[in-house]
Amino acid sequence: MHALSVAQSSSPPAAALVESMYALAFELISVERWSDASDVLRAMLLVTPNDERAWLGLGRCHDALGQREVAVELYTMCLVALPRAVRMRIALASLLGDASREDDVDLLLRQAGDIADALDDAELVELVERARRSS
């Protein structure tokens, strides 16, 4: 089966595949096997390009590998694929804050807050508030 047809499928086997891939990547990240985890997460994105967890994990792997610019690019690409991604905006704001890009951080957190409010998602609103306090 081609990746595209698996991604378009909403069948339980496709969902199980994605969850298995995520679980494997999470385990690899937990033991700091960043390169291996990034390979799994890239494959996961081929199956489900709209999974914010895969984008977040992949960016985290590249950041841990000392490839912060790649992480920023991946996070930015995710925002194109998932324009309402709140967690991604928070992660990108954190990376840019480390690079002293405060104007970008403020914009990203404002956008994240607006999206979280529009979604009426208390958990996301709280995540944005925590990110604002720590920035």
Side-chain angles (χ1 to χ4, degrees), residues 30-81:
S30 71
V31 294
E32 298 182 0
R33 290 180 51 191
W34 307 111
S35 185
D36 293 333
S38 72
D39 290 342
V40 173
L41 291 164
R42 272 191 189 78
M44 185 176 161
L45 283 171
L46 289 173
V47 176
T48 179
N50 294 329
D51 193 316
E52 189 178 14
R53 301 172 306 170
W55 288 103
L56 285 163
L58 186 57
R60 179 165 184 233
C61 289
H62 282 280
D63 187 33
L65 289 167
Q67 301 168 346
R68 181 156 290 193
E69 297 82 18
V70 174
V72 168
E73 287 178 26
L74 287 164
Y75 289 167
T76 303
M77 288 170 49
C78 176
L79 294 180
V80 173

Side-chain angles (χ1 to χ4, degrees), residues 86-87 90 109 122-132:
V86 172
R87 288 176 180 85
I90 294 169
L109 293 179
E123 178 186 349
L124 291 177
V125 169
E126 176 57 30
L127 285 174
V128 172
E129 287 306 315
R130 272 190 265 152
R132 284 182 176 146

